[in-house]
Amino acid sequence: MNTFIEQLEVVNQIRLVTPDSPIYWRIQSSDINRDKKEIHIKNLRRSLLKTNALRLSNIVMDNDFKLIEGQHLVNAARELNLSFPIKVVDKKDYNEKDIVAINTTRKNWDLMDYCDLYVKKGYKSYMGFQNYIETQRITPHV
């Protein structure tokens, strides 16, 4: 591994929760979490079937098995009987303001974020699309 990375302090550990783990079904949403949205779980389930990118996810629970972040992802993973990585933090290290901040400051990708990605990858049609938007000074919407 890169020596610069090895020099960084370890502050939280990530554990792999497998379907046969004793805590797989004990993990639950916190009272602070928003209500679960079944459509969001369904979309995540579909995404996990295409590319199981759980290894890149940010699922966080406290030492009382309460989810701080990632409740929809955990539900989708369970419905598919998938393992998932989870960061464990001490319950005294966060409060409801932290959870609200996590859930209100995140920005989802928009149309232009996707366009920029494909332009960087060299897709000519997206380069043309981006050029058209810039020259016509329009803001695309979906």
Side-chain angles (χ1 to χ4, degrees), residues 61-64 66 68 88-95:
M61 77 171 184
D62 66 23
N63 49 338
D64 279 339
K66 300 284 187 181
I68 299 166
V88 182
V89 298
D90 194 298
K91 66 180 179 179
K92 69 180 185 311
D93 290 339
Y94 75 95
N95 60 41

Side-chain angles (χ1 to χ4, degrees), residues 40-52:
H40 188 42
I41 294 170
K42 178 182 175 185
N43 291 336
L44 285 168
R45 203 172 49 240
R46 190 176 314 128
S47 175
L48 290 173
L49 286 170
K50 286 182 187 174
T51 60
N52 182 354

